[in-house]
Protein backbone atom coordinates (compact mmCIF):
# COMPACT_ATOMS: atom_id res chain seq x y z
CA UNK A 1 0.00 0.00 0.00
CA UNK A 2 1.21 3.48 -0.97
CA UNK A 3 0.19 6.53 1.06
CA UNK A 4 0.05 10.00 -0.51
CA UNK A 5 -0.05 12.96 1.86
CA UNK A 6 -1.10 16.48 0.91
CA UNK A 7 -3.58 15.03 -1.55
CA UNK A 8 -5.47 18.28 -2.02
CA UNK A 9 -2.35 20.40 -2.65
CA UNK A 10 -0.79 21.38 -5.96
CA UNK A 11 1.89 18.70 -6.02
CA UNK A 12 0.20 16.14 -3.80
CA UNK A 13 -2.85 16.07 -6.03
CA UNK A 14 -0.69 15.47 -9.09
CA UNK A 15 1.21 12.69 -7.31
CA UNK A 16 -2.05 11.07 -6.24
CA UNK A 17 -3.41 11.15 -9.79
CA UNK A 18 -0.24 9.53 -11.09
CA UNK A 19 -0.27 6.93 -8.31
CA UNK A 20 -3.87 5.97 -9.02
CA UNK A 21 -2.97 5.44 -12.68
CA UNK A 22 0.06 3.30 -11.93
CA UNK A 23 -0.40 1.56 -8.58
CA UNK A 24 -2.87 -1.13 -7.43
CA UNK A 25 -3.27 0.05 -3.82
CA UNK A 26 -3.27 3.75 -3.01
CA UNK A 27 -4.37 5.60 0.12
CA UNK A 28 -4.57 9.40 0.33
CA UNK A 29 -4.60 11.72 3.33
CA UNK A 30 -7.06 14.60 3.48
CA UNK A 31 -7.64 17.03 6.32
CA UNK A 32 -11.39 17.49 5.83
CA UNK A 33 -14.39 15.46 4.75
CA UNK A 34 -15.09 18.04 2.05
CA UNK A 35 -11.68 17.50 0.45
CA UNK A 36 -11.84 13.73 0.94
CA UNK A 37 -15.09 13.68 -1.01
CA UNK A 38 -13.13 14.91 -4.04
CA UNK A 39 -10.73 11.95 -3.96
CA UNK A 40 -10.31 10.24 -7.34
CA UNK A 41 -11.71 6.77 -7.82
CA UNK A 42 -9.14 4.09 -7.25
CA UNK A 43 -7.83 5.39 -3.95
CA UNK A 44 -8.81 5.02 -0.32
CA UNK A 45 -9.35 8.45 1.27
CA UNK A 46 -8.52 8.86 4.96
CA UNK A 47 -8.74 11.83 7.30
CA UNK A 48 -5.52 12.70 9.09
CA UNK A 49 -3.45 15.68 10.17
CA UNK A 50 0.29 16.03 10.64
CA UNK A 51 -0.43 17.65 14.01
CA UNK A 52 -2.46 14.64 15.18
CA UNK A 53 -0.05 11.77 15.68
CA UNK A 54 -2.79 9.26 16.43
CA UNK A 55 -4.46 10.01 13.09
CA UNK A 56 -1.13 9.42 11.37
CA UNK A 57 -0.79 6.01 13.00
CA UNK A 58 -4.21 5.03 11.67
CA UNK A 59 -3.41 6.33 8.18
CA UNK A 60 -0.14 4.37 8.09
CA UNK A 61 -1.65 1.02 9.01
CA UNK A 62 -0.57 -1.48 6.34
CA UNK A 63 1.41 1.10 4.37
CA UNK A 64 4.77 0.28 2.80
CA UNK A 65 5.71 3.55 1.06
CA UNK A 66 4.83 7.17 1.79
CA UNK A 67 5.02 10.41 -0.17
CA UNK A 68 5.49 13.32 2.23
CA UNK A 69 4.69 16.92 1.31
CA UNK A 70 3.57 19.93 3.31
CA UNK A 71 2.44 23.44 2.50
CA UNK A 72 5.22 26.04 2.91
CA UNK A 73 4.21 27.23 6.37
CA UNK A 74 6.33 28.06 9.45
CA UNK A 75 5.26 24.79 11.10
CA UNK A 76 6.58 22.71 8.20
CA UNK A 77 9.56 21.30 10.11
CA UNK A 78 7.47 20.26 13.10
CA UNK A 79 4.62 18.81 11.05
CA UNK A 80 6.73 16.87 8.57
CA UNK A 81 8.91 15.64 11.43
CA UNK A 82 5.79 14.20 13.04
CA UNK A 83 5.13 12.28 9.84
CA UNK A 84 8.72 11.07 9.60
CA UNK A 85 8.54 9.82 13.19
CA UNK A 86 5.22 8.11 12.50
CA UNK A 87 6.66 6.39 9.42
CA UNK A 88 9.57 5.08 11.46
CA UNK A 89 7.27 3.80 14.22
CA UNK A 90 4.89 2.16 11.71
CA UNK A 91 7.69 0.26 9.97
CA UNK A 92 7.27 2.03 6.63
CA UNK A 93 9.80 0.68 4.14
CA UNK A 94 10.41 3.77 2.00
CA UNK A 95 9.68 7.51 2.21
CA UNK A 96 9.73 10.00 -0.65
CA UNK A 97 10.16 13.51 0.73
CA UNK A 98 9.14 16.50 -1.35
CA UNK A 99 11.79 19.06 -0.45
CA UNK A 100 12.86 22.13 -2.45
CA UNK A 101 15.67 23.31 -4.67
CA UNK A 102 18.21 25.10 -2.53
CA UNK A 103 17.89 22.77 0.44
CA UNK A 104 21.44 21.64 -0.19
CA UNK A 105 23.10 25.05 -0.24
CA UNK A 106 20.80 27.88 0.86
CA UNK A 107 20.39 28.59 4.56
CA UNK A 108 17.36 30.86 4.31
CA UNK A 109 13.67 30.73 3.43
CA UNK A 110 11.76 27.57 2.57
CA UNK A 111 14.86 25.59 1.48
CA UNK A 112 16.35 25.86 4.97
CA UNK A 113 13.16 24.50 6.51
CA UNK A 114 13.16 21.55 4.13
CA UNK A 115 16.81 20.81 4.88
CA UNK A 116 15.98 20.24 8.55
CA UNK A 117 13.40 17.62 7.61
CA UNK A 118 15.79 16.03 5.11
CA UNK A 119 18.39 15.64 7.86
CA UNK A 120 15.84 14.18 10.25
CA UNK A 121 14.68 11.64 7.66
CA UNK A 122 18.24 10.60 6.91
CA UNK A 123 18.81 10.00 10.61
CA UNK A 124 15.89 7.60 11.03
CA UNK A 125 17.42 4.74 9.08
CA UNK A 126 14.28 4.49 6.93
CA UNK A 127 14.97 4.10 3.21
CA UNK A 128 14.32 7.41 1.46
CA UNK A 129 14.33 9.41 -1.74
CA UNK A 130 14.45 13.22 -1.58
CA UNK A 131 13.06 15.40 -4.37
CA UNK A 132 14.26 18.99 -4.66
CA UNK A 133 12.17 20.57 -7.45
CA UNK A 134 12.79 23.96 -9.00
CA UNK A 135 9.95 26.46 -9.51
CA UNK A 136 6.62 25.08 -10.72
CA UNK A 137 5.16 26.12 -14.06
CA UNK A 138 1.84 26.26 -12.21
CA UNK A 139 3.14 29.13 -10.07
CA UNK A 140 3.23 31.38 -13.13
CA UNK A 141 -0.56 31.40 -13.15
CA UNK A 142 -0.91 31.34 -9.37
CA UNK A 143 1.24 34.41 -8.75
CA UNK A 144 1.11 36.42 -11.98
CA UNK A 145 -2.10 35.79 -13.90
CA UNK A 146 -4.32 38.12 -11.88
CA UNK A 147 -2.24 41.27 -12.50
CA UNK A 148 -1.63 40.23 -16.11
CA UNK A 149 -5.37 39.99 -16.74
CA UNK A 150 -6.04 43.34 -15.06
CA UNK A 151 -2.96 45.37 -16.04
CA UNK A 152 -1.10 43.38 -18.73
CA UNK A 153 1.90 43.28 -16.41
CA UNK A 154 3.43 41.40 -13.50
CA UNK A 155 5.65 42.89 -10.82
CA UNK A 156 8.49 41.07 -9.03
CA UNK A 157 11.83 42.00 -7.49
CA UNK A 158 13.78 39.47 -9.54
CA UNK A 159 16.01 41.49 -11.85
CA UNK A 160 17.32 39.31 -14.68
CA UNK A 161 17.30 36.10 -12.65
CA UNK A 162 16.49 32.94 -14.60
CA UNK A 163 14.37 30.05 -13.37
CA UNK A 164 14.17 26.56 -14.84
CA UNK A 165 10.46 25.87 -14.35
CA UNK A 166 9.02 22.36 -14.38
CA UNK A 167 5.54 20.89 -14.41
CA UNK A 168 4.10 19.32 -11.26
CA UNK A 169 2.90 16.41 -13.39
CA UNK A 170 6.51 15.58 -14.22
CA UNK A 171 7.44 15.78 -10.54
CA UNK A 172 4.60 13.35 -9.87
CA UNK A 173 6.00 10.80 -12.31
CA UNK A 174 9.35 10.89 -10.50
CA UNK A 175 7.68 10.65 -7.09
CA UNK A 176 5.62 7.58 -7.92
CA UNK A 177 8.60 5.79 -9.45
CA UNK A 178 10.69 6.67 -6.40
CA UNK A 179 8.07 5.23 -4.04
CA UNK A 180 9.29 1.79 -5.05
CA UNK A 181 12.75 2.54 -3.64
CA UNK A 182 15.18 0.21 -5.35
CA UNK A 183 17.59 2.19 -7.49
CA UNK A 184 16.02 5.40 -6.14
CA UNK A 185 16.80 4.58 -2.50
CA UNK A 186 19.19 7.02 -0.85
CA UNK A 187 19.04 9.41 -3.81
CA UNK A 188 18.56 13.17 -3.75
CA UNK A 189 17.12 14.38 -7.03
CA UNK A 190 17.45 18.07 -7.85
CA UNK A 191 14.79 18.48 -10.49
CA UNK A 192 15.07 21.25 -13.06
CA UNK A 193 12.98 22.08 -16.08
CA UNK A 194 14.27 21.94 -19.67
CA UNK A 195 14.83 25.70 -20.07
CA UNK A 196 15.94 28.52 -17.77
CA UNK A 197 14.31 31.85 -18.57
CA UNK A 198 14.17 35.37 -17.15
CA UNK A 199 10.96 37.22 -16.37
CA UNK A 200 11.62 39.46 -19.37
CA UNK A 201 11.55 36.40 -21.60
CA UNK A 202 8.56 35.00 -19.73
CA UNK A 203 6.61 38.18 -20.48
CA UNK A 204 7.39 37.77 -24.19
CA UNK A 205 6.22 34.16 -24.17
CA UNK A 206 3.00 35.05 -22.35
CA UNK A 207 2.39 37.92 -24.80
CA UNK A 208 2.59 35.48 -27.68
CA UNK A 209 -0.01 33.06 -26.35
CA UNK A 210 -2.27 35.72 -24.86
CA UNK A 211 -2.42 37.80 -28.02
CA UNK A 212 -1.59 40.99 -26.11
CA UNK A 213 1.55 42.73 -24.92
CA UNK A 214 2.44 41.68 -21.39
CA UNK A 215 5.23 43.41 -19.47
CA UNK A 216 7.48 42.35 -16.64
CA UNK A 217 8.16 45.22 -14.23
CA UNK A 218 11.22 44.74 -12.06
CA UNK A 219 10.45 46.52 -8.79
CA UNK A 220 12.55 47.21 -5.69
CA UNK A 221 12.34 44.54 -3.02
CA UNK A 222 10.95 47.10 -0.57
CA UNK A 223 8.12 47.89 -2.98
CA UNK A 224 7.22 44.23 -3.34
CA UNK A 225 7.31 43.80 0.43
CA UNK A 226 4.99 46.74 1.00
CA UNK A 227 2.61 45.59 -1.73
CA UNK A 228 2.37 42.06 -0.37
CA UNK A 229 1.88 43.26 3.19
CA UNK A 230 -0.77 45.66 1.92
CA UNK A 231 -2.65 42.73 0.40
CA UNK A 232 -2.68 41.00 3.77
CA UNK A 233 0.10 38.49 3.11
CA UNK A 234 1.59 37.36 6.45
CA UNK A 235 4.97 38.93 7.22
CA UNK A 236 6.68 35.54 7.57
CA UNK A 237 5.52 34.58 4.09
CA UNK A 238 6.63 37.87 2.57
CA UNK A 239 10.09 37.49 4.09
CA UNK A 240 10.42 33.88 2.97
CA UNK A 241 9.34 34.67 -0.60
CA UNK A 242 11.73 37.61 -0.88
CA UNK A 243 14.58 35.48 0.48
CA UNK A 244 13.76 32.80 -2.08
CA UNK A 245 13.88 35.42 -4.83
CA UNK A 246 17.34 36.40 -3.59
CA UNK A 247 18.39 32.78 -4.13
CA UNK A 248 17.15 32.98 -7.71
CA UNK A 249 18.94 36.32 -8.22
CA UNK A 250 22.15 34.58 -7.15
CA UNK A 251 21.61 32.08 -9.98
CA UNK A 252 20.29 29.26 -7.81
CA UNK A 253 17.35 28.42 -10.05
CA UNK A 254 19.04 28.71 -13.45
CA UNK A 255 20.44 25.20 -13.82
CA UNK A 256 19.26 22.87 -16.58
CA UNK A 257 20.26 19.25 -17.06
CA UNK A 258 18.95 15.96 -18.37
CA UNK A 259 18.07 14.36 -15.03
CA UNK A 260 14.32 14.96 -15.17
CA UNK A 261 14.03 13.59 -18.69
CA UNK A 262 16.03 10.49 -17.78
CA UNK A 263 13.81 9.83 -14.76
CA UNK A 264 10.46 10.26 -16.50
CA UNK A 265 11.73 8.63 -19.71
CA UNK A 266 10.22 11.23 -22.03
CA UNK A 267 10.59 14.91 -22.80
CA UNK A 268 9.47 17.12 -19.88
CA UNK A 269 6.57 19.54 -20.28
CA UNK A 270 7.96 22.81 -21.66
CA UNK A 271 7.13 26.37 -20.72
CA UNK A 272 5.57 27.01 -24.12
CA UNK A 273 3.36 23.93 -23.80
CA UNK A 274 2.17 25.06 -20.39
CA UNK A 275 1.50 28.64 -21.47
CA UNK A 276 -0.38 27.52 -24.57
CA UNK A 277 -2.58 25.22 -22.51
CA UNK A 278 -3.31 28.04 -20.05
CA UNK A 279 -3.46 30.99 -22.44
CA UNK A 280 -6.93 32.02 -21.28
CA UNK A 281 -5.55 32.77 -17.81
CA UNK A 282 -3.57 35.70 -19.22
CA UNK A 283 -6.13 37.37 -21.47
CA UNK A 284 -7.74 40.73 -20.87
CA UNK A 285 -10.56 40.67 -18.32
CA UNK A 286 -12.85 42.90 -20.36
CA UNK A 287 -12.20 41.00 -23.58
CA UNK A 288 -12.90 37.69 -21.85
CA UNK A 289 -16.12 38.89 -20.19
Amino acid sequence: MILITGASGTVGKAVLQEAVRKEPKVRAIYRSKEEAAKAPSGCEAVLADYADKQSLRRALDGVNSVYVVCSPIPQLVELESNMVDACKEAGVKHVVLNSALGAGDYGKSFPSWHRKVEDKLKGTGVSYTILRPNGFLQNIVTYNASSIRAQAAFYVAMGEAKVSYLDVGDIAVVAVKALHGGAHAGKIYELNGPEAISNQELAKRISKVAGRTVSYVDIPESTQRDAMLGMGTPEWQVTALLELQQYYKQGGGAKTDGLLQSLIERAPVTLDQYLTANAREFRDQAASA
Side-chain angles (χ1 to χ4, degrees):
M1 174 75 77
I2 285 174
L3 176 66
I4 308 299
T5 71
S8 57
T10 301
V11 190
K13 184 183 294 184
V15 174
L16 176 58
Q17 291 169 342
E18 177 71 12
V20 168
R21 283 194 293 267
K22 298 291 179 64
E23 303 299 327
K25 293 184 178 181
V26 179
R27 183 179 294 162
I29 283 182
Y30 293 92
R31 293 180 62 191
S32 71
K33 292 181 179 179
E34 292 75 18
E35 288 297 328
K38 302 174 186 177
S41 59
C43 86
E44 174 192 348
V46 297
L47 295 180
D49 193 305
Y50 282 157
D52 181 352
K53 295 183 180 181
Q54 187 58 41
S55 73
L56 296 181
R57 294 187 187 101
R58 291 193 297 269
L60 286 165
D61 183 42
V63 168
N64 296 314
S65 300
V66 180
Y67 169 77
V68 177
V69 67
C70 182
S71 300
I73 56 176
Q75 299 80 18
L76 180 147
V77 176
E78 174 189 353
L79 295 177
E80 288 195 342
S81 292
N82 285 346
M83 189 62 183
V84 169
D85 286 338
C87 288
K88 171 73 171 178
E89 294 169 8
V92 169
K93 302 299 184 186
H94 190 75
V95 172
V96 174
L97 176 65
N98 199 103
S99 182
L101 195 73
D105 60 3
Y106 192 57
K108 297 180 181 180
S109 186
F110 308 119
S112 69
W113 305 352
H114 286 291
R115 179 56 181 266
K116 292 177 181 178
V117 183
E118 288 186 13
D119 291 343
K120 180 178 181 63
L121 176 58
K122 291 176 184 178
T124 63
V126 176
S127 177
Y128 67 85
T129 306
I130 294 170
L131 309 183
R132 294 176 179 168
N134 207 324
F136 305 156
L137 286 168
Q138 284 70 19
N139 287 344
I140 296 171
V141 166
T142 300
Y143 293 116
N144 300 327
S146 179
S147 68
I148 290 173
R149 286 194 298 269
Q151 303 171 31
F154 61 102
Y155 309 82
V156 195
M158 286 270 284
E160 298 180 0
K162 293 184 177 182
V163 179
S164 180
Y165 296 99
L166 71 166
D167 190 83
V168 294
D170 288 343
I171 299 171
V173 174
V174 177
V176 172
K177 288 187 175 186
L179 281 164
H180 292 281
H184 302 292
K187 297 292 181 62
I188 298 176
Y189 293 134
E190 296 197 342
L191 303 175
N192 298 291
E195 178 185 21
I197 68 156
S198 66
N199 279 327
Q200 291 93 332
E201 178 62 24
L202 176 59
K204 292 178 183 178
R205 302 283 186 90
I206 294 174
S207 299
K208 184 176 181 180
V209 301
R212 59 197 292 237
T213 300
V214 171
S215 301
Y216 160 59
V217 182
D218 181 40
I219 57 176
E221 191 173 282
S222 59
T223 301
Q224 185 177 345
R225 175 180 289 276
D226 291 343
M228 294 176 71
L229 290 173
M231 292 187 294
T233 307
E235 187 170 359
W236 66 264
Q237 188 174 8
V238 174
T239 298
L241 284 169
L242 291 175
E243 287 180 347
L244 185 61
Q245 288 173 198
Q246 290 169 5
Y247 177 70
Y248 290 140
K249 289 167 78 172
Q250 295 167 14
K255 184 178 179 181
T256 58
D257 54 42
L259 176 61
L260 180 61
Q261 179 162 333
S262 70
L263 289 170
I264 65 177
E265 300 179 278
R266 60 166 170 74
V269 174
T270 66
L271 172 67
D272 289 339
Q273 287 173 329
Y274 176 78
L275 293 180
T276 299
N278 292 274
R280 66 187 182 282
E281 299 284 352
F282 306 109
R283 291 183 177 138
D284 180 74
Q285 287 177 326
S288 301

